[in-house]
Amino acid sequence: MDAVSPLDEMVDGAGGFRPQWRSLLGALADLGREALAERAVLLDRFFADEGVTSLLANPAAPDRPAAWRCDPIPLILPPAEFDTLEAGLAQRATLLEAVLQDVYGPQHLLAEGLLPPALVHANPAFLRPCRDPVAGRAGPLLHLYAADLARAPDGAWRVVADRTAVPTGIAHVLENRRALSRHMPEFLRARDLRQHGPFFDIWQDALQRLAPGGRAAIPASRC
């Protein structure tokens, strides 16, 4: 039998489980295989009943999005790894904001050849009327940032896509947590979870500060 890869999310490669998984595995053992399968069916039914749709196309019916799927067993990251990801993504968002400020402002990156002009001017999403040569006059331009992540073979995380448009993924995060708290409460009680509330409070306050009269509209998503 081949040795377990040291990059296995759950197993440490020396015959043991990684520390962050132990309490969850205890809850999983208490639940049992049949009960876990039943809970997975309930999760699928929950999303179908709620009308929560997938971000991906439905191959069986291209004109209709597929139902959203939520794995009943979550991916668990140790706090130090999560903090590293958080810091790296915050840095990436800061960089993207600086690029936007320059592209819609003085355009030094284009003038110095650090950013190909065709990448900007030929892009239909580039809003020419919104350009202001005085950088920063319009305030922050990036009001929402998320990223699709994948773990590389060397164990490091890689960003495979940047998301700055419709906040569909945020809605899926909320629905996942709501569904798991209803159908998999044993798993949630087994972990010290990061709370979503502070993020939404900060984001709502930021949008209200930017909006005339303190009201903001968010584009509708498919969920």
Side-chain angles (χ1 to χ4, degrees), residues 91-141:
Q91 184 184 56
R92 190 178 181 91
T94 300
L95 173 61
L96 290 176
E97 170 65 24
V99 172
L100 283 174
Q101 288 286 352
D102 183 75
V103 167
Y104 282 100
Q107 298 190 340
H108 294 311
L109 294 174
L110 295 172
E112 297 173 13
L114 299 175
L115 192 64
L119 189 64
V120 175
H121 297 304
N123 192 326
F126 178 56
L127 305 176
R128 295 175 183 272
C130 296
R131 191 196 165 206
D132 187 339
V134 181
R137 177 178 294 181
L141 299 178

Side-chain angles (χ1 to χ4, degrees), residues 50-63:
E50 293 289 317
V52 181
T53 56
S54 175
L55 299 172
L56 304 176
N58 183 356
D63 58 327

Side-chain angles (χ1 to χ4, degrees), residues 1-36:
M1 180 180 294
D2 295 336
V4 177
S5 169
L7 301 180
D8 189 289
E9 296 288 351
M10 184 183 296
V11 181
D12 62 13
F17 295 109
R18 299 187 187 277
Q20 68 269 21
W21 281 92
R22 291 171 185 165
S23 60
L24 181 63
L25 290 174
L28 181 61
D30 292 339
L31 189 61
R33 181 177 297 181
E34 291 185 4
L36 179 61

Side-chain angles (χ1 to χ4, degrees), residues 30-47:
D30 292 339
L31 189 61
R33 181 177 297 181
E34 291 185 4
L36 179 61
E38 292 174 359
R39 301 292 182 86
V41 172
L42 289 174
L43 279 174
D44 286 344
R45 187 177 302 162
F46 171 87
F47 288 111

Side-chain angles (χ1 to χ4, degrees), residues 5-9 18 81 150-159:
S5 169
L7 301 180
D8 189 289
E9 296 288 351
R18 299 187 187 277
E81 185 174 18
R151 195 186 288 279
D154 61 359
W157 288 97
R158 299 285 187 269
V159 174

